Coordinates of all heavy atoms in Angstrom, one line a residue:
M542 N -3.6 4.9 20.8 CA -2.2 4.6 20.6 C -1.5 5.9 20.1 O -2.0 6.6 19.4 CB -2.2 3.6 19.4 CG -0.9 2.8 19.4 SD -0.9 1.4 18.1 CE -2.0 0.3 18.9
K543 N -0.3 6.0 20.7 CA 0.4 7.3 20.4 C 1.1 7.3 19.0 O 1.4 6.2 18.5 CB 1.5 7.5 21.5 CG 0.9 7.8 22.8 CD 2.0 7.9 23.9 CE 1.4 8.1 25.2 NZ 2.4 8.2 26.3
P544 N 1.1 8.5 18.4 CA 1.7 8.5 17.0 C 3.2 7.9 17.0 O 3.6 7.3 16.1 CB 1.8 9.9 16.6 CG 0.7 10.6 17.5 CD 0.7 9.8 18.8
N545 N 4.0 8.2 18.1 CA 5.4 7.7 18.0 C 5.3 6.1 18.1 O 6.2 5.5 17.5 CB 6.2 8.1 19.2 CG 6.6 9.6 19.0 OD1 6.6 10.1 17.9 ND2 6.8 10.3 20.1
H546 N 4.4 5.5 18.7 CA 4.3 4.0 18.8 C 3.9 3.5 17.6 O 4.4 2.6 17.1 CB 3.3 3.7 20.0 CG 3.1 2.2 20.1 ND1 4.1 1.4 20.6 CD2 2.1 1.3 19.8 CE1 3.7 0.1 20.7 NE2 2.5 0.2 20.1
L547 N 3.0 4.2 16.8 CA 2.6 3.7 15.5 C 3.9 3.8 14.5 O 4.0 2.8 13.7 CB 1.4 4.6 14.9 CG 0.1 4.4 15.6 CD1 -0.9 5.4 15.0 CD2 -0.4 3.0 15.3
L548 N 4.6 4.8 14.7 CA 5.7 5.1 13.7 C 6.7 3.9 13.9 O 7.3 3.3 13.1 CB 6.4 6.4 13.9 CG 7.5 6.7 12.9 CD1 7.1 6.7 11.5 CD2 8.0 8.1 13.2
H549 N 7.0 3.6 15.2 CA 7.9 2.5 15.6 C 7.4 1.1 15.1 O 8.1 0.4 14.5 CB 8.0 2.4 17.2 CG 8.9 1.2 17.6 ND1 10.3 1.2 17.4 CD2 8.5 0.1 18.3 CE1 10.8 0.1 17.9 NE2 9.6 -0.5 18.4
R550 N 6.2 0.8 15.2 CA 5.5 -0.5 14.7 C 5.7 -0.5 13.2 O 6.1 -1.6 12.7 CB 4.2 -0.5 15.1 CG 4.0 -0.8 16.5 CD 2.5 -1.0 16.9 NE 1.8 -2.0 16.2 CZ 0.5 -2.2 16.3 NH1 -0.2 -1.4 16.9 NH2 -0.1 -3.1 15.5
Y551 N 5.5 0.7 12.5 CA 5.6 0.7 11.1 C 7.0 0.4 10.6 O 7.4 -0.4 9.8 CB 5.2 2.0 10.5 CG 5.6 2.2 9.1 CD1 5.0 1.4 8.1 CD2 6.5 3.1 8.6 CE1 5.3 1.6 6.8 CE2 6.8 3.3 7.3 CZ 6.3 2.6 6.3 OH 6.6 2.7 5.0
R552 N 8.0 1.1 11.2 CA 9.5 0.9 10.9 C 9.9 -0.5 11.2 O 10.6 -1.2 10.4 CB 10.3 1.9 11.8 CG 10.3 3.2 11.3 CD 11.2 4.2 12.1 NE 11.1 5.5 11.5 CZ 11.4 6.5 12.4 NH1 11.9 6.4 13.5 NH2 11.4 7.7 11.8
R553 N 9.4 -1.2 12.3 CA 9.8 -2.5 12.5 C 9.2 -3.4 11.5 O 9.8 -4.4 11.1 CB 9.2 -2.9 14.0 CG 9.8 -4.2 14.6 CD 9.3 -4.5 15.9 NE 7.8 -4.5 15.9 CZ 7.2 -4.5 17.0 NH1 7.7 -4.4 18.1 NH2 5.9 -4.5 17.0
F554 N 8.0 -3.2 11.1 CA 7.3 -4.1 10.2 C 8.0 -3.9 8.8 O 8.2 -5.0 8.0 CB 5.9 -3.7 10.0 CG 5.0 -4.5 9.1 CD1 4.6 -5.7 9.6 CD2 4.7 -4.1 7.7 CE1 3.8 -6.6 8.8 CE2 4.0 -5.0 7.0 CZ 3.5 -6.2 7.5
R555 N 8.4 -2.8 8.4 CA 9.0 -2.7 7.0 C 10.5 -3.2 6.9 O 10.8 -3.2 5.8 CB 8.9 -1.1 6.6 CG 9.9 -0.3 7.2 CD 9.8 1.2 6.8 NE 10.7 1.9 7.6 CZ 11.6 2.8 7.1 NH1 11.6 2.9 5.7 NH2 12.4 3.5 7.7
R556 N 11.0 -3.5 7.9 CA 12.5 -4.1 7.8 C 12.5 -5.6 7.3 O 13.4 -6.1 6.9 CB 13.0 -4.0 9.2 CG 13.6 -2.7 9.5 CD 14.4 -2.8 10.8 NE 13.4 -2.5 11.9 CZ 13.7 -2.4 13.1 NH1 14.9 -2.5 13.6 NH2 12.8 -2.1 14.0
H557 N 11.3 -6.1 7.4 CA 11.3 -7.5 7.0 C 10.8 -7.7 5.6 O 10.0 -6.8 4.9 CB 10.3 -8.4 8.0 CG 10.6 -8.3 9.4 ND1 11.6 -9.1 9.8 CD2 10.1 -7.5 10.4 CE1 11.7 -8.8 11.2 NE2 10.8 -7.8 11.5
A558 N 11.1 -8.8 5.0 CA 10.5 -9.1 3.6 C 9.0 -9.5 3.9 O 8.7 -10.3 4.7 CB 11.2 -10.4 3.1
Y559 N 8.2 -9.1 2.9 CA 6.8 -9.3 3.1 C 6.1 -9.7 1.8 O 6.8 -9.6 0.8 CB 6.1 -7.9 3.6 CG 6.3 -6.8 2.6 CD1 5.5 -6.6 1.6 CD2 7.3 -6.0 3.0 CE1 5.7 -5.5 0.8 CE2 7.5 -4.9 2.0 CZ 6.7 -4.6 1.0 OH 7.1 -3.6 0.1
A560 N 4.9 -10.3 1.9 CA 4.2 -10.8 0.8 C 2.9 -9.8 0.7 O 2.5 -9.4 1.6 CB 3.9 -12.2 0.9
K561 N 2.6 -9.6 -0.6 CA 1.4 -8.7 -0.8 C 0.3 -9.7 -1.4 O 0.6 -10.5 -2.2 CB 1.7 -7.6 -1.7 CG 0.6 -6.8 -2.0 CD 0.8 -5.7 -3.1 CE -0.5 -4.9 -3.3 NZ -0.4 -4.2 -4.5
C562 N -0.8 -9.6 -0.9 CA -2.0 -10.2 -1.4 C -3.3 -9.4 -1.3 O -3.2 -8.3 -0.7 CB -2.1 -11.6 -0.6 SG -2.6 -11.3 1.1
E563 N -4.4 -9.9 -1.7 CA -5.6 -9.2 -1.6 C -6.4 -9.9 -0.6 O -6.5 -11.2 -0.6 CB -6.4 -9.3 -3.0 CG -5.7 -8.3 -4.1 CD -6.6 -8.2 -5.2 OE1 -7.8 -8.8 -5.3 OE2 -6.3 -7.3 -6.0
G564 N -6.9 -9.2 0.4 CA -7.8 -9.7 1.4 C -9.2 -9.3 1.2 O -9.6 -8.4 0.3
R565 N -10.2 -9.8 1.9 CA -11.6 -9.4 1.8 C -12.1 -9.0 3.3 O -11.8 -9.7 4.2 CB -12.4 -10.6 1.3 CG -13.8 -10.3 1.1 CD -14.5 -11.0 0.1 NE -13.8 -11.4 -1.0 CZ -13.9 -10.8 -2.3 NH1 -14.6 -9.7 -2.3 NH2 -13.3 -11.1 -3.2
V566 N -12.7 -7.8 3.4 CA -13.3 -7.5 4.6 C -14.3 -8.3 5.0 O -15.2 -8.6 4.4 CB -13.8 -5.9 4.4 CG1 -14.4 -5.5 5.8 CG2 -12.6 -4.9 4.1
S567 N -14.2 -8.9 6.2 CA -15.2 -9.8 6.9 C -16.2 -9.2 7.7 O -17.4 -9.5 7.8 CB -14.5 -10.9 7.5 OG -13.6 -10.4 8.6
R568 N -15.8 -8.0 8.4 CA -16.7 -7.4 9.2 C -16.0 -6.0 9.7 O -14.8 -5.9 9.6 CB -17.1 -8.0 10.5 CG -16.1 -8.4 11.5 CD -16.7 -9.3 12.6 NE -15.7 -9.8 13.4 CZ -15.6 -9.3 14.8 NH1 -16.5 -8.6 15.2 NH2 -14.6 -9.8 15.5
T569 N -16.8 -5.2 10.2 CA -16.3 -3.9 10.8 C -16.9 -3.8 12.2 O -18.0 -4.3 12.4 CB -16.7 -2.7 10.1 OG1 -18.1 -2.6 9.9 CG2 -16.1 -2.6 8.8
K570 N -16.1 -3.3 13.2 CA -16.7 -3.2 14.5 C -16.6 -1.9 15.0 O -15.6 -1.2 15.0 CB -15.6 -4.2 15.4 CG -16.0 -4.3 16.8 CD -15.2 -5.1 17.6 CE -15.5 -5.2 19.0 NZ -14.6 -6.0 19.9
G571 N -17.7 -1.4 15.4 CA -17.9 -0.1 16.0 C -17.7 1.0 14.9 O -17.4 2.1 15.1
G572 N -17.8 0.5 13.6 CA -17.6 1.6 12.5 C -16.3 2.1 12.2 O -16.1 2.8 11.4
S573 N -15.3 1.4 13.0 CA -14.0 1.9 12.7 C -13.0 0.8 12.6 O -11.9 0.9 11.9 CB -13.5 2.9 13.8 OG -13.4 2.4 15.1
T574 N -13.0 -0.3 13.4 CA -12.1 -1.4 13.3 C -12.5 -2.3 12.2 O -13.7 -2.7 12.1 CB -12.1 -2.2 14.6 OG1 -11.7 -1.3 15.6 CG2 -11.1 -3.3 14.5
V575 N -11.5 -2.6 11.3 CA -11.8 -3.4 10.1 C -11.2 -4.8 10.3 O -9.9 -5.0 10.6 CB -11.2 -2.9 8.9 CG1 -11.4 -3.7 7.7 CG2 -11.8 -1.5 8.7
H576 N -12.0 -5.9 10.2 CA -11.5 -7.2 10.3 C -11.5 -7.8 8.9 O -12.4 -7.5 8.1 CB -12.4 -8.1 11.1 CG -12.4 -7.7 12.6 ND1 -11.8 -8.4 13.4 CD2 -13.0 -6.7 13.1 CE1 -11.9 -7.8 14.7 NE2 -12.7 -6.8 14.5
Y577 N -10.4 -8.4 8.5 CA -10.2 -9.0 7.1 C -9.6 -10.4 7.1 O -9.0 -10.8 8.1 CB -9.3 -8.0 6.3 CG -8.1 -7.7 6.9 CD1 -6.9 -8.3 6.6 CD2 -7.9 -6.5 7.7 CE1 -5.7 -8.1 7.1 CE2 -6.8 -6.2 8.3 CZ -5.7 -7.0 8.0 OH -4.4 -6.6 8.6
E578 N -9.7 -11.1 6.0 CA -9.2 -12.4 5.7 C -8.5 -12.4 4.4 O -8.8 -11.7 3.6 CB -10.3 -13.4 5.7 CG -11.2 -13.6 7.0 CD -12.4 -14.5 6.9 OE1 -12.7 -15.0 5.8 OE2 -12.9 -14.9 7.9
F579 N -7.4 -13.2 4.4 CA -6.6 -13.4 3.2 C -6.0 -14.7 3.1 O -5.7 -15.4 4.0 CB -5.5 -12.2 3.1 CG -4.6 -12.2 4.3 CD1 -3.3 -12.8 4.2 CD2 -5.0 -11.6 5.5 CE1 -2.5 -12.9 5.4 CE2 -4.1 -11.6 6.7 CZ -2.9 -12.3 6.6
A580 N -5.7 -15.0 1.7 CA -5.0 -16.3 1.4 C -3.5 -16.1 1.7 O -3.0 -15.1 1.3 CB -5.3 -16.9 0.1
I581 N -2.9 -17.1 2.2 CA -1.3 -17.1 2.4 C -0.7 -18.0 1.4 O -1.3 -18.9 0.9 CB -1.0 -17.4 3.9 CG1 -1.5 -18.7 4.3 CG2 -1.5 -16.3 4.8 CD1 -1.0 -19.2 5.7
V582 N 0.6 -17.7 1.2 CA 1.4 -18.6 0.3 C 1.6 -20.0 0.9 O 1.6 -20.1 2.1 CB 2.9 -17.9 0.2 CG1 3.8 -18.9 -0.6 CG2 2.8 -16.6 -0.4
G583 N 1.4 -21.0 0.1 CA 1.4 -22.3 0.5 C 0.0 -22.8 1.0 O 0.0 -24.0 1.5
G584 N -1.0 -22.1 0.7 CA -2.3 -22.5 1.0 C -2.9 -22.1 2.5 O -2.0 -21.7 3.3
G585 N -4.1 -22.1 2.6 CA -4.7 -21.7 4.0 C -5.0 -20.2 4.0 O -4.8 -19.5 3.0
F586 N -5.7 -19.8 5.0 CA -6.1 -18.4 5.3 C -5.7 -17.9 6.6 O -5.4 -18.7 7.5 CB -7.7 -18.4 5.1 CG -8.2 -18.6 3.8 CD1 -8.5 -19.9 3.3 CD2 -8.4 -17.6 2.9 CE1 -9.0 -20.1 2.0 CE2 -8.8 -17.7 1.6 CZ -9.1 -19.0 1.2
A587 N -5.6 -16.7 6.6 CA -5.2 -16.0 7.8 C -6.1 -14.8 8.0 O -6.8 -14.4 7.1 CB -3.7 -15.4 7.8
K588 N -6.2 -14.3 9.2 CA -7.1 -13.1 9.6 C -6.3 -12.0 10.1 O -5.3 -12.2 10.7 CB -8.2 -13.5 10.7 CG -9.1 -14.6 10.1 CD -10.0 -15.0 11.3 CE -11.0 -16.1 10.8 NZ -12.0 -16.5 11.9
G589 N -6.8 -10.8 10.0 CA -6.2 -9.7 10.6 C -7.2 -8.6 10.8 O -8.4 -8.8 10.6
R590 N -6.7 -7.5 11.5 CA -7.6 -6.4 11.8 C -6.8 -5.1 11.8 O -5.6 -5.2 12.0 CB -8.4 -6.7 13.1 CG -7.4 -6.6 14.3 CD -8.3 -6.7 15.6 NE -7.3 -6.6 16.7 CZ -7.5 -6.9 17.9 NH1 -8.7 -7.4 18.3 NH2 -6.6 -6.8 18.8
T591 N -7.5 -4.1 11.6 CA -6.8 -2.7 11.8 C -7.9 -1.7 12.2 O -9.0 -1.9 12.0 CB -6.1 -2.4 10.3 OG1 -5.4 -1.3 10.5 CG2 -7.3 -2.2 9.2
G592 N -7.3 -0.7 12.7 CA -8.1 0.4 13.1 C -7.4 1.3 14.1 O -6.3 1.0 14.4
P593 N -8.1 2.5 14.4 CA -9.3 2.9 13.8 C -9.1 3.5 12.4 O -8.0 3.8 12.1 CB -9.7 4.0 14.8 CG -8.3 4.5 15.5 CD -7.4 3.3 15.3
S594 N -10.2 3.5 11.7 CA -10.1 4.0 10.3 C -11.2 5.0 10.1 O -12.5 4.8 10.6 CB -10.4 2.9 9.4 OG -10.5 3.3 8.0
H595 N -10.9 6.2 9.5 CA -12.0 7.2 9.3 C -13.0 6.7 8.3 O -14.3 7.1 8.4 CB -11.3 8.5 9.0 CG -10.4 9.1 9.9 ND1 -10.8 9.6 11.2 CD2 -9.0 9.0 10.0 CE1 -9.8 10.0 11.9 NE2 -8.7 9.7 11.1
K596 N -12.6 6.1 7.2 CA -13.5 5.6 6.3 C -13.3 4.1 6.0 O -12.5 3.7 5.1 CB -13.3 6.4 5.0 CG -13.6 7.8 5.0 CD -13.5 8.5 3.6 CE -13.8 10.1 3.7 NZ -13.6 10.6 2.4
P597 N -13.8 3.3 6.8 CA -13.6 1.8 6.7 C -14.2 1.4 5.5 O -15.3 1.9 5.0 CB -14.1 1.2 8.0 CG -15.2 2.2 8.4 CD -14.7 3.6 8.0
P598 N -13.6 0.4 4.7 CA -14.2 -0.2 3.5 C -15.4 -1.0 3.9 O -15.5 -1.5 5.0 CB -13.1 -1.1 3.0 CG -12.1 -1.2 4.0 CD -12.3 -0.2 5.0
P599 N -16.4 -1.1 3.0 CA -17.6 -2.0 3.3 C -17.3 -3.5 3.4 O -16.2 -3.9 2.9 CB -18.5 -1.6 2.1 CG -17.6 -1.3 1.0 CD -16.4 -0.5 1.7
V600 N -18.0 -4.2 4.0 CA -17.9 -5.6 4.1 C -18.1 -6.2 2.9 O -18.9 -5.9 2.1 CB -19.0 -6.3 5.2 CG1 -19.0 -7.8 5.2 CG2 -18.9 -5.6 6.5
G601 N -17.0 -7.1 2.6 CA -17.0 -7.8 1.3 C -16.0 -7.1 0.3 O -15.7 -7.6 -0.7
A602 N -15.6 -5.9 0.6 CA -14.6 -5.1 -0.2 C -13.2 -5.9 -0.3 O -12.8 -6.5 0.7 CB -14.5 -3.8 0.2
T603 N -12.6 -5.7 -1.4 CA -11.2 -6.3 -1.6 C -10.2 -5.2 -1.0 O -10.2 -4.1 -1.5 CB -11.0 -6.6 -3.0 OG1 -11.9 -7.6 -3.4 CG2 -9.5 -7.2 -3.2
V604 N -9.3 -5.7 -0.2 CA -8.3 -4.6 0.3 C -6.9 -5.3 0.2 O -6.7 -6.5 0.2 CB -8.5 -4.3 1.7 CG1 -9.7 -3.6 1.9 CG2 -8.6 -5.5 2.6
P605 N -5.8 -4.5 -0.2 CA -4.5 -5.0 -0.1 C -4.0 -5.2 1.2 O -4.1 -4.4 2.1 CB -3.8 -3.9 -0.8 CG -4.5 -2.7 -0.7 CD -5.9 -3.0 -0.6
V606 N -3.3 -6.3 1.3 CA -2.7 -6.7 2.6 C -1.2 -7.1 2.5 O -0.8 -7.8 1.5 CB -3.5 -8.0 3.1 CG1 -2.8 -8.5 4.5 CG2 -4.8 -7.8 3.4
L607 N -0.4 -6.7 3.4 CA 1.0 -7.0 3.5 C 1.2 -7.9 4.7 O 0.7 -7.7 5.8 CB 2.0 -5.9 3.7 CG 1.9 -4.9 2.5 CD1 2.9 -3.6 2.9 CD2 2.3 -5.3 1.3
Y608 N 2.0 -9.1 4.6 CA 2.2 -10.0 5.8 C 3.5 -10.7 5.6 O 4.2 -10.8 4.5 CB 1.1 -11.1 5.8 CG 1.0 -12.0 4.7 CD1 1.7 -13.3 5.0 CD2 0.4 -11.8 3.5 CE1 1.8 -14.4 4.0 CE2 0.5 -12.9 2.5 CZ 1.1 -14.0 2.8 OH 1.2 -15.0 1.7
L609 N 4.0 -11.2 6.8 CA 5.3 -11.9 6.7 C 5.0 -13.3 6.4 O 4.2 -14.0 7.1 CB 6.0 -11.8 8.1 CG 6.4 -10.4 8.6 CD1 6.9 -10.4 10.0 CD2 7.4 -9.8 7.6
P610 N 5.6 -13.9 5.3 CA 5.2 -15.2 5.1 C 5.6 -16.3 6.0 O 4.9 -17.3 6.1 CB 6.2 -15.5 3.8 CG 6.4 -14.1 3.2 CD 6.5 -13.2 4.2
D611 N 6.6 -16.1 6.8 CA 6.9 -17.0 7.9 C 6.0 -16.7 9.2 O 6.1 -17.7 10.1 CB 8.5 -16.9 8.3 CG 8.8 -15.5 8.6 OD1 8.2 -14.6 8.4 OD2 9.9 -15.5 9.3
N612 N 5.4 -15.8 9.2 CA 4.5 -15.5 10.4 C 3.3 -14.6 9.9 O 3.2 -13.4 10.1 CB 5.2 -14.7 11.4 CG 4.5 -14.6 12.8 OD1 3.3 -15.1 12.8 ND2 5.0 -14.0 13.7
P613 N 2.3 -15.3 9.3 CA 1.3 -14.4 8.7 C 0.3 -13.7 9.7 O -0.5 -12.8 9.4 CB 0.2 -15.6 8.1 CG 1.1 -16.8 8.0 CD 2.2 -16.7 8.9
R614 N 0.6 -14.0 11.1 CA -0.1 -13.2 12.0 C 0.3 -11.8 12.1 O -0.3 -10.9 12.6 CB 0.0 -13.8 13.4 CG -0.9 -15.0 13.6 CD -0.7 -15.7 15.0 NE 0.7 -16.1 15.2 CZ 1.1 -16.3 16.4 NH1 0.5 -16.4 17.4 NH2 2.5 -16.7 16.5
R615 N 1.6 -11.5 11.6 CA 2.2 -10.1 11.4 C 1.7 -9.7 10.0 O 2.2 -10.0 9.0 CB 3.7 -10.2 11.5 CG 4.2 -10.8 12.7 CD 4.5 -9.8 13.9 NE 4.9 -8.5 13.4 CZ 6.4 -8.2 13.4 NH1 7.3 -9.1 13.9 NH2 6.7 -7.0 13.0
N616 N 0.6 -8.9 10.0 CA 0.0 -8.4 8.8 C -0.5 -7.1 9.0 O -0.8 -6.5 10.2 CB -1.0 -9.5 8.3 CG -2.2 -9.5 9.2 OD1 -3.0 -8.5 9.4 ND2 -2.3 -10.6 9.9
R617 N -0.7 -6.3 7.9 CA -1.3 -5.0 7.9 C -2.0 -4.7 6.7 O -1.7 -5.3 5.5 CB -0.1 -3.9 7.9 CG 0.7 -3.9 9.2 CD -0.1 -3.3 10.4 NE 0.7 -3.1 11.5 CZ 0.6 -4.0 12.5 NH1 -0.2 -5.1 12.5 NH2 1.4 -3.9 13.6
M618 N -3.0 -4.1 6.8 CA -3.9 -3.6 5.6 C -3.1 -2.4 5.1 O -2.7 -1.6 5.8 CB -5.3 -3.3 6.0 CG -6.2 -3.2 4.8 SD -7.9 -3.1 5.2 CE -8.0 -1.3 5.9
Y619 N -3.0 -2.4 3.7 CA -2.2 -1.4 3.1 C -3.3 -0.5 2.4 O -4.2 -0.9 1.9 CB -1.2 -2.0 2.0 CG -0.3 -1.0 1.4 CD1 0.8 -0.7 2.2 CD2 -0.6 -0.3 0.3 CE1 1.7 0.4 1.7 CE2 0.3 0.6 -0.2 CZ 1.4 1.0 0.5 OH 2.3 1.9 0.0
P620 N -3.1 0.9 2.4 CA -1.9 1.6 3.0 C -2.0 1.8 4.4 O -3.1 1.8 5.0 CB -2.0 3.0 2.2 CG -3.4 3.2 2.0 CD -3.9 1.8 1.8
F621 N -0.8 1.9 5.1 CA -0.7 2.0 6.5 C -1.4 3.4 6.9 O -1.6 4.3 6.2 CB 0.7 2.1 7.1 CG 1.4 0.7 6.6 CD1 2.5 0.8 5.9 CD2 0.9 -0.4 7.1 CE1 3.1 -0.3 5.6 CE2 1.5 -1.6 6.7 CZ 2.7 -1.6 5.9
S622 N -1.8 3.5 8.2 CA -2.4 4.8 8.5 C -1.4 6.1 8.5 O -2.0 7.1 8.4 CB -2.9 4.6 10.0 OG -1.7 4.5 10.9
M623 N -0.1 5.8 8.5 CA 0.8 6.9 8.4 C 1.3 7.1 7.0 O 2.3 7.9 6.8 CB 2.0 6.6 9.4 CG 1.6 6.2 10.8 SD 1.9 7.4 12.0 CE 3.2 8.4 11.7
V624 N 0.7 6.5 6.1 CA 1.2 6.5 4.6 C 0.0 7.2 3.8 O -1.1 6.9 4.0 CB 1.5 5.2 4.0 CG1 1.8 5.2 2.5 CG2 2.7 4.6 4.8
K625 N 0.3 8.1 2.9 CA -0.6 8.7 2.0 C -0.1 8.3 0.6 O 1.0 8.6 0.2 CB -0.7 10.2 2.2 CG -1.6 10.9 1.3 CD -1.8 12.4 1.6 CE -2.9 12.9 0.7 NZ -3.1 14.3 0.8
L626 N -1.0 7.7 -0.2 CA -0.7 7.5 -1.5 C -0.7 8.7 -2.4 O -1.6 9.5 -2.3 CB -1.6 6.4 -2.2 CG -1.7 5.1 -1.4 CD1 -2.7 4.2 -2.0 CD2 -0.4 4.4 -1.4
A627 N 0.3 8.8 -3.2 CA 0.4 10.0 -4.2 C -0.4 9.8 -5.3 O -0.5 8.7 -5.8 CB 1.9 10.3 -4.5
D628 N -1.0 11.0 -5.7 CA -1.6 10.8 -7.1 C -0.8 11.4 -8.2 O -0.1 12.4 -8.1 CB -2.9 11.7 -7.0 CG -4.0 11.2 -6.1 OD1 -4.1 10.0 -6.0 OD2 -4.6 12.1 -5.5
Y629 N -0.5 10.5 -9.3 CA 0.3 11.0 -10.4 C -0.5 11.3 -11.5 O -1.4 10.8 -11.9 CB 1.3 9.9 -10.7 CG 2.4 9.7 -9.5 CD1 2.2 8.8 -8.7 CD2 3.4 10.5 -9.5 CE1 3.2 8.5 -7.8 CE2 4.4 10.3 -8.5 CZ 4.2 9.3 -7.7 OH 5.2 9.1 -6.7

């Protein structure tokens, strides 16, 4: 995936109101793609995936997830690949 495409997807995603929750890593594929599950508002569960990741979290680890409440299939594990968290 090209960097400009990733930036476009990130900008499109951040324009919407999102919900934050904690997900759990269910599996990793090829050592870089991370599959996760998370509980959604109103009950139920949803699944997501992200990748590639240089240091994928281990299976069973808790990860922060952002998703659109009206369409939980639109989700991302946080932080995004183009975001670096600052140390204060």
Side-chain angles (χ1 to χ4, degrees):
M542 204 174 286
K543 296 180 181 179
N545 287 341
H546 182 68
L547 288 173
L548 185 59
H549 174 71
R550 286 178 62 190
Y551 168 70
R552 285 182 180 161
R553 189 176 61 189
F554 186 78
R555 72 182 178 128
R556 278 186 271 186
H557 302 282
Y559 57 86
K561 181 182 177 201
C562 67
E563 289 191 355
R565 187 160 312 271
V566 176
S567 57
R568 68 184 173 113
T569 58
K570 183 177 179 183
S573 64
T574 302
V575 178
H576 294 258
Y577 52 89
E578 299 175 345
F579 57 97
I581 59 175
V582 174
F586 289 89
K588 297 179 181 182
R590 68 177 181 194
T591 188
S594 177
H595 297 289
K596 293 183 180 180
V600 173
T603 302
V604 293
V606 176
L607 300 178
Y608 71 95
L609 297 176
D611 58 340
N612 187 2
R614 290 182 294 167
R615 300 272 316 265
N616 61 73
R617 294 282 182 267
M618 195 169 76
Y619 188 83
F621 305 119
S622 61
M623 308 250 334
V624 174
K625 182 177 179 183
L626 298 178
D628 292 326
Y629 290 100

